[in-house]
Amino acid sequence: MGELNFDDLIWIYDLFSIGQVAVEESEDEVYQALLKHILYGFNGKTGCLALIDKDKNDLYIKTGIGLPQEAIGSRIELGSGILGWVAENNISLLLNGDVSNDERFQNIQKMPGSKPNSAMCWPLSVKGEVIGVISVNQDANESEFTDSELEHGKMVIPVISLVANNLQLNRDRELQIKTLTDLNNQLNQTQQQLVQQEKLASIGQLAAGVAHEINNPIGFVLSNVTSLSEYAETFIQLIKEYEILVENLSCGNREKAREAMETIRDIKKTEDVAFMLDDIEELVKDSLDGMERVRSIVAGLKSFARVDDQSELKEADINECIKSTLKVVWNELKYKCEVKTNYGDLPIVECFPGSLNQVFMNLLVNASHAIEKKGVIEVETGCIDEDYIFIRITDDGSGIDPENISKLFNPFFTTKEVGKGTGLGLSISYGIIQKHNGELLVDSELGVGTTFTISIPVVHVENEDDNS
Ligand SMILES: Nc1ncnc2c1ncn2[C@@H]1O[C@H](COP(=O)(O)OP(=O)(O)OP(=O)(O)O)[C@@H](O)[C@H]1O
Ligand SMILES: [Mg+2]
């Protein structure tokens, strides 16, 4: 390329165009196209483009024309050979003739099969920092490159530098996006695991409560049945003696009849049959009551444990949901909390009842934890309007420090000692209420108490997060 003419301008325009499509094309194709264009412009036969690898602090051949395939990707130390020298010194070079003895270039590696007679080599740099090198070689039988061609090259090389820099930035950005996406996926997985752990923890809490609740009636039913079986033995004995008595009376065997009467009298005296007759009635009644309690706890548990079909939208009576949850957490509440309920007239609500029960459970357990010795928990339900219902849980416990209010729904925010709270309850509850397109509000005064108010729509509306 001598003085600039129209063809040169078109050539420069084409060079810009290659750079502009750069981001959409594959990196290798863009570098190859750039090198090809440079070779074409300077009428070179072979050439290569090498980039600096910042991590390894060396050069690697990114693309080449007229180079053996194995040369692509090969690495060159900075300062070594012609390319290494240009990269290290950030100086363009015009080399004519044999340079194998040139002191500047140590370890010159001649490409097999090529005998360059003339070569130009420019550093690719952005803001003074070298990011690569490009070289153009001429065959021995062609005319040598000139200083003015080297200078022309210097004018267009910045375009290539910019494109190369853009491609690298683009690659870095894609790498960052990938790293962020991977991290995000990991985070999601961890969150899922934590949610699962929280569920397991509440199931554990629930199991302990239920075991305690069931154990008590089972204990006294067992003791009643033991007494009843002892009484039964006495009555079986009595019946047998009565049979003997009747038999002997009917066949006129008075002596034997008298003996049987004596035995009956003895049994009645020693076993206090009159007391037994009174007691049987009470034992049976108590046992039936106990069994009824067990039955209702199990029924409550069954409706609470809709946890397994949480993804299924159901029509539910929210008052019933609260009642079954209260049964399940009763063991946690009964020693220090008086629970007052004020159930409003609620329509059937389209919701995920298992998830809502988890929310009620967490709010009730939180309320009981906030009560140190004795206190009152009030549960109120009602309609806000024909589309929305509310559930309000109030306690007269410790209240919440105003500076903690904004952190309440953050995962892992807890003021409880290790082992008593993970700090996930409210963040999970918040997510569940959001899934219902509802609201979970808190109102608290330190030393006075706290109210959590849930409002949810009667008819469920799908939102974007429902599938996640
Ligand atoms: N009714 C309440 N009264 C006072 N403080 C409360 C009440 N409810 C929640 N808090 C405060 O909010 C914190 C977070 O509650 P959250 O339910 O998210 O977690 P947690 O109860 O500590 O642990 P987890 O529920 O995971 O077992 C609690 O540690 C407590 O400090
Ligand atoms: Mg909690």
Side-chain angles (χ1 to χ4, degrees):
M1 205 162 32
E3 291 303 311
L4 275 182
N5 58 30
F6 186 65
D7 284 347
D8 293 338
L9 287 175
I10 291 182
W11 180 83
I12 289 170
Y13 173 78
D14 286 346
L15 186 65
F16 271 104
S17 309
I18 297 172
Q20 270 168 2
V21 293
V23 179
E24 289 125 51
E25 304 278 333
S26 93
E27 223 182 77
D28 288 344
E29 281 170 13
V30 176
Y31 283 123
Q32 178 68 209
L34 285 172
L35 184 62
K36 215 170 171 178
H37 200 68
I38 294 287
L39 285 193
Y40 169 72
F42 291 95
N43 198 24
K45 286 291 163 300
T46 60
C48 82
L49 189 152
L51 294 173
I52 290 207
D53 181 335
K54 277 192 198 147
D55 293 339
K56 298 198 173 127
N57 199 30
D58 66 2
L59 276 171
Y60 64 99
I61 310 265
K62 180 71 188 165
T63 192
I65 291 175
L67 293 188
Q69 190 52 37
E70 61 272 20
I72 310 297
S74 61
R75 311 197 76 97
I76 303 161
E77 272 179 49
L78 292 181
S80 172
I82 298 168
L83 297 182
W85 189 91
V86 171
E88 192 171 61
N89 294 288
N90 196 5
I91 294 173
S92 311
L93 277 182
L94 168 66
L95 301 168
N96 283 323
D98 186 6
V99 291
S100 51
N101 294 323
D102 192 318
E103 288 181 345
R104 289 175 294 177
F105 316 128
Q106 292 156 17
N107 316 321
I108 286 192
Q109 285 174 6
K110 282 202 170 169
M111 293 298 171
S114 74
K115 285 187 241 157
N117 170 43
S118 179
M120 288 189 289
C121 199
W122 299 274
L124 302 176
S125 64
V126 173
K127 292 185 189 153
E129 192 191 337
V130 178
I131 59 163
V133 179
I134 190 163
S135 78
V136 177
N137 308 313
Q138 193 54 279
D139 276 354
N141 49 358
E142 300 275 343
S143 55
E144 293 184 336
F145 292 129
T146 62
D147 280 329
S148 98
E149 280 177 310
L150 188 72
E151 289 307 308
H152 275 137
K154 278 189 196 168
M155 288 191 289
V156 292
I157 289 304
V159 177
I160 299 180
S161 303
L162 276 179
V163 174
N165 191 45
N166 259 349
L167 286 169
Q168 273 182 350
L169 287 177
N170 202 37
R171 201 180 40 193
D172 289 352
R173 206 190 57 185
E174 268 166 15
L175 235 126
Q176 276 171 352
I177 290 175
K178 190 177 173 308
T179 315
L180 283 176
T181 315
D182 287 353
L183 271 175
N184 198 28
N185 287 344
Q186 269 177 25
L187 211 71
N188 274 341
Q189 260 179 17
T190 315
Q191 196 198 8
Q192 296 272 320
Q193 278 169 5
L194 285 170
V195 169
Q196 210 54 33
Q197 275 170 15
E198 168 76 6
K199 261 189 217 159
L200 288 179
S202 41
I203 288 169
Q205 193 175 28
L206 192 151
V210 168
H212 189 273
E213 281 302 293
I214 289 184
N215 228 6
N216 200 14
I218 294 269
F220 70 71
V221 168
L222 191 69
S223 140
N224 290 358
V225 171
T226 310
S227 301
L228 284 171
S229 81
E230 281 166 16
Y231 295 176
E233 255 175 56
T234 307
F235 285 108
I236 290 167
Q237 229 185 328
L238 273 178
I239 290 168
K240 277 186 187 154
E241 290 303 325
Y242 275 117
E243 276 172 355
I244 296 169
L245 175 68
V246 171
E247 206 178 292
N248 285 317
L249 280 179
S250 63
C251 61
N253 198 339
R254 302 187 61 170
E255 192 52 33
K256 289 260 172 197
R258 194 179 312 112
E259 273 175 29
M261 290 261 284
E262 284 297 319
T263 315
I264 289 169
R265 206 171 291 137
D266 283 351
I267 293 174
K268 279 185 167 173
K269 214 191 256 166
T270 51
E271 298 294 338
D272 200 353
V273 171
F275 167 80
M276 281 184 187
L277 281 173
D278 277 351
D279 201 29
I280 281 176
E281 212 175 324
E282 198 139 322
L283 289 178
V284 168
K285 187 180 163 298
D286 281 358
S287 301
L288 286 177
D289 281 354
M291 283 298 118
E292 180 53 38
R293 253 172 76 188
V294 172
R295 201 191 63 81
S296 90
I297 292 166
V298 172
L301 196 64
K302 257 168 83 184
S303 68
F304 179 89
R306 283 177 184 158
V307 189
D308 52 356
D309 51 24
Q310 276 189 347
S311 57
E312 217 182 305
L313 199 61
K314 293 229 171 96
E315 294 197 323
D317 178 339
I318 296 297
N319 287 339
E320 286 306 316
C321 286
I322 295 174
K323 283 176 200 168
S324 71
T325 306
L326 271 171
K327 257 178 214 153
V328 168
V329 292
W330 187 239
N331 188 47
E332 186 88 35
L333 313 182
K334 65 181 176 193
Y335 298 110
K336 51 181 180 179
C337 313
E338 183 193 343
V339 179
K340 291 184 180 165
T341 52
N342 182 6
Y343 296 115
D345 226 355
L346 294 186
I348 292 294
V349 173
E350 213 178 19
C351 61
F352 301 96
S355 304
L356 283 184
N357 285 343
Q358 214 184 330
V359 177
F360 304 148
M361 175 158 139
N362 183 50
L363 294 183
L364 289 165
V365 171
N366 279 354
S368 97
H369 283 171
I371 292 169
E372 205 188 330
K373 290 203 176 92
K374 278 256 172 263
V376 179
I377 298 177
E378 285 178 57
V379 182
E380 192 190 347
T381 61
C383 290
I384 298 173
D385 53 33
E386 58 182 22
D387 297 326
Y388 278 86
I389 63 152
F390 75 87
I391 301 108
R392 188 171 295 137
I393 296 177
T394 304
D395 67 71
D396 58 0
S398 62
I400 300 166
D401 195 324
E403 71 172 24
N404 286 341
I405 290 278
S406 61
K407 305 178 204 152
L408 280 192
F409 299 103
N410 292 351
F412 305 114
F413 173 76
T414 182
T415 54
K416 294 171 192 173
E417 63 210 52
V418 179
K420 205 168 182 196
T422 58
L424 283 174
L426 281 179
S427 87
I428 289 173
S429 301
Y430 189 83
I432 291 172
I433 299 303
Q434 256 192 341
K435 192 168 83 170
H436 286 81
N437 292 304
E439 253 185 353
L440 176 56
L441 299 175
V442 58
D443 184 17
S444 184
E445 197 177 328
L446 203 57
V448 176
T450 304
T451 299
F452 279 92
T453 308
I454 300 167
S455 61
I456 48 168
V458 174
V459 178
H460 181 76
V461 182
E462 284 280 317
N463 67 21
E464 290 150 22
D465 301 334
D466 278 2
N467 299 325
S468 61

